[in-house]
Amino acid sequence: MASPPPALEILVREPDGFTVWSGPPYPPGTTSPPQRLPKTACGATSFSTDGARLLATVASASATVYDCRTLAVVKCFELPGLLAAALSPTGAYLQTFQKSSSPQEKNVTVWHVDTAAALYQHYQKSMSKATWPMVQFSADELVACRMMPNEIQFFDPKDFAKGILYRIRMPGIATMQLATAPGSHVAGFVPEAKGVPASVQIFSCNKDAQNQVVARRSFFRCSTVQLHWNKGSTGLLVLAQADVDKTNQSYYGETKLNYLTTDRAFEGIVPLKKDGPVHDVQWSSSGSEFAVVYGFMPAKATIFNKKCNPLVELGEGPYNTIRWNPKGRFVVLAGFGNLPGDMAFWDYSEKKLVAKTKAECSVTSEWSPDGCHFMTATTAPRLQIDNCIKIFDHNGSLQFKKMFERLYQADWKPEVPERFGDIAYLTTSLSTLKIEETKKQVSAQGSKSAQTSSKAPANTAPKPTAYRPPHAKGSAELQDKLFGGLAPAGGEMSKNALRNKKRREKQKEKKAAEASGSPADDES
């Protein structure tokens, strides 16, 4: 007999501390979900990748590790001058970074959580978001490595006392990303220097093949990169970013999406069908497809297979975010940040749009581990007002909303998607629960409606429409100016969008004429 799926849980952090909620579905009218843990003071919180343990830190003071199954304290570390801390994927190791007054004082430490033993230490002058955590682990914690000047160093996680087992030389390396599932390969980025183009190189983590480049991609106009491995560690997406766009098409610089495979079947740029920046990219849970949101507004969204061939076009809209359901069935396109919060729910298995809705001013968003719920959160310090949590079902229907005076964090507790049943089964069970609750409400309200129906007048006056201020009447024109002239419902382009299109076409003609050496036509 199959074991029941684990219960969903949500981590919520406010100014006075964090707590853990029991997850949805919630009964109708729920305003405060049950709390599994009383509010506990902290400065930051995070789960281990597998959701087995929870880390809560107090700046410059301590780090506490909890067992997520019982929410009991596993170990508390007193760490003066603590600046950052991170758990390994299964929560077996804790990595900390503390203030240091001299190079002789080793300030990066890898601890064994259960025994509180310091397994490994080294000195690090500074750290950034791009380089933390310093030591990276594979998902099964069988491989561990760190980036140092001009090289990548490997350790045995079961015995850090052995020291450095072997090295991969990469002169000028600035960014590293270890493939986690499995930890078979590692990618490193070397920026441009003295006319030499920037490059991303992939190496095998096998000691016998450590210095053999598995795949390589070089490119100019690149200052930083984001490296995204797929599940299976066979494909790497490289989002190359330049601070300045030499074509003057974007104030925010230039981005290019590159794709490399460990079997060298593909090494090149992902063929995107629209000019403009790459807003977001994400692999599916299977690792066999990836989705990209790209282009000037209205942005375009496309799903590609492992061979970099387009599979499905998800249309255009004011989007800059994509979230793939852990089961791989549903995809959400959203426009958060400086966009108005539009969301489109797609059923990827059926290749159809399910619903459209909005979650204005959202800062974070993620699917639940079972793939049935989608949570958005408006958090501080990005936004100081209207902080809230919203939970939608897989069809885009709002199921729960809670407002906060100040909210800092809202995260699902991670779980392995395979521990949950098929989405069709879960959603059927959920709809059955809703139907039964609806029947109870209808039966309770039936008698009341029957009593009042005889007293109701024959001709009921229509409800007055909501007042619409004069400035709202021009909102459609304002939307055109802000988001690049989205096509209205009738399919015709707005005047502003048409003007922009003509201007872009004229610029292209002018450049083509200059390239050919003939003077460009000067049309007014």
Side-chain angles (χ1 to χ4, degrees):
M1 183 177 178
S3 59
L8 298 177
E9 294 177 7
I10 301 173
L11 170 69
V12 178
R13 182 164 62 89
E14 300 175 73
D16 54 348
F18 79 96
T19 186
V20 177
W21 288 355
S22 295
Y26 300 126
T30 300
T31 56
S32 296
Q35 295 185 4
R36 290 199 58 215
L37 182 73
K39 273 191 182 173
T40 305
C42 72
T45 51
S46 61
F47 287 105
S48 60
T49 306
D50 66 352
R53 287 179 171 175
L54 168 65
L55 171 66
T57 60
V58 176
S60 300
S62 66
T64 305
V65 180
Y66 295 82
D67 183 332
C68 288
R69 186 172 52 84
T70 61
L71 289 179
V73 175
V74 177
K75 196 69 66 176
C76 183
F77 298 81
E78 298 297 329
L79 301 165
L82 179 67
L83 296 176
L87 285 170
S88 61
T90 67
Y93 306 102
L94 171 66
Q95 190 173 166
T96 60
F97 179 83
Q98 296 169 267
K99 289 180 182 177
S100 178
S101 55
S102 67
Q104 288 73 32
E105 187 179 349
K106 297 179 179 179
N107 58 342
V108 175
T109 307
V110 176
W111 307 84
H112 190 274
V113 172
D114 293 334
T115 63
L119 304 176
Y120 170 76
Q121 289 182 304
H122 76 266
Y123 169 76
Q124 191 75 27
K125 184 177 180 180
S126 62
M127 70 97 176
S128 65
K129 188 177 180 181
T131 59
W132 182 257
M134 306 289 184
V135 179
Q136 296 184 18
F137 292 86
S138 60
D140 54 12
E141 296 182 354
L142 295 178
V143 179
C145 61
R146 70 166 181 172
M147 180 183 71
M148 292 299 285
N150 302 319
E151 65 182 21
I152 300 172
Q153 301 174 350
F154 287 81
F155 303 89
D156 180 0
K158 302 302 179 185
D159 189 1
F160 276 95
K162 292 179 181 178
I164 301 169
L165 298 181
Y166 53 94
R167 296 174 169 88
I168 293 176
R169 291 287 299 170
M170 275 194 79
I173 183 172
T175 305
M176 176 198 78
Q177 187 61 56
L178 175 67
T180 58
S184 57
H185 294 84
V186 64
F189 165 67
V190 178
E192 289 183 60
K194 299 179 181 179
V196 179
S199 66
V200 169
Q201 302 172 48
I202 297 177
F203 293 87
S204 170
C205 292
N206 188 335
K207 184 178 180 179
D208 298 329
Q210 56 180 305
N211 288 316
Q212 298 177 8
V213 178
V214 175
R216 178 190 178 105
R217 176 73 178 164
S218 299
F219 30 74
F220 284 102
R221 297 207 308 269
C222 175
S223 52
T224 59
V225 295
Q226 296 177 24
L227 304 174
H228 302 272
W229 282 103
N230 70 335
K231 182 180 179 181
S233 305
T234 58
L236 176 70
L237 290 169
V238 181
L239 183 57
Q241 300 166 309
D243 296 331
V244 178
D245 182 4
K246 292 189 176 181
T247 64
N248 293 324
Q249 289 183 300
S250 174
Y251 175 80
Y252 299 100
E254 183 181 7
T255 58
K256 295 290 183 183
L257 185 62
N258 297 269
Y259 178 51
L260 296 85
T261 58
T262 54
D263 62 0
R264 293 191 172 183
F266 191 97
E267 292 180 12
I269 293 179
V270 177
L272 304 179
K273 297 181 179 179
K274 189 171 186 179
D275 293 336
V278 177
H279 304 288
D280 198 10
V281 59
Q282 189 179 30
W283 283 100
S284 69
S285 57
S286 66
S288 57
E289 308 102 349
F290 62 91
V292 191
V293 182
Y294 59 95
F296 296 112
M297 293 295 162
K300 191 178 183 66
T302 306
I303 294 177
F304 296 85
N305 63 12
K306 283 197 298 185
K307 296 181 179 179
C308 217
N309 297 320
L311 295 176
V312 182
E313 298 289 347
L314 302 181
E316 296 186 354
Y319 305 128
N320 61 3
T321 303
I322 191 159
R323 293 289 182 266
W324 208 312
N325 172 284
K327 291 288 187 177
R329 177 171 174 181
F330 295 99
V331 177
V332 168
L333 291 175
F336 297 143
N338 59 350
L339 295 180
D342 293 81
M343 295 196 301
F345 287 73
W346 282 80
D347 186 333
Y348 175 61
S349 61
E350 299 290 336
K351 309 293 189 293
K352 68 177 182 179
L353 178 65
V354 177
K356 287 189 175 183
T357 185
K358 273 197 173 187
E360 298 88 347
C361 303
S362 296
V363 177
T364 63
S365 60
E366 195 53 74
W367 282 97
S368 60
D370 67 353
C372 293
H373 310 277
F374 188 75
M375 178 172 66
T376 65
T378 303
T379 58
R382 173 70 181 268
L383 290 173
Q384 303 290 345
I385 60 172
D386 296 333
N387 286 187
C388 67
I389 290 175
K390 295 179 181 178
I391 299 178
F392 302 81
D393 68 9
H394 65 286
N395 286 326
S397 174
L398 181 62
Q399 302 295 310
F400 173 80
K401 179 179 178 180
K402 182 174 176 61
M403 302 298 297
F404 294 83
E405 185 175 339
R406 189 67 56 84
L407 175 67
Y408 288 138
Q409 183 180 359
D411 288 328
W412 296 102
K413 181 173 80 71
E415 293 284 357
V416 179
E418 288 75 22
R419 295 187 65 187
F420 298 93
D422 182 65
I423 287 182
Y425 168 76
L426 292 171
T427 53
T428 302
S429 302
L430 185 61
S431 61
T432 304
L433 176 64
K434 290 178 183 175
I435 291 170
E436 290 176 354
E437 290 170 348
T438 306
K439 285 181 178 178
K440 292 178 182 178
Q441 291 178 350
V442 171
S443 61
Q445 295 174 359
S447 57
K448 292 183 181 179
S449 59
Q451 292 174 4
T452 56
S453 60
S454 58
K455 299 179 183 179
N459 296 322
T460 306
K463 279 188 177 182
T465 57
Y467 169 72
R468 192 178 184 191
H471 70 268
K473 296 176 183 178
S475 60
E477 296 178 8
L478 184 62
Q479 292 269 342
D480 283 340
K481 292 178 182 178
L482 288 176
F483 308 120
L486 300 181
E492 298 178 0
M493 297 182 72
S494 67
K495 292 181 180 179
N496 192 54
L498 195 59
R499 195 182 306 118
N500 289 338
K501 183 180 179 183
K502 287 182 178 178
R503 189 175 68 249
R504 286 195 294 267
E505 290 174 351
K506 191 177 292 184
Q507 288 177 348
K508 288 182 179 179
E509 291 174 1
K510 187 176 180 181
K511 288 180 181 178
E514 289 175 352
S516 62
S518 61
D521 295 335
D522 185 15
E523 298 179 3
S524 55

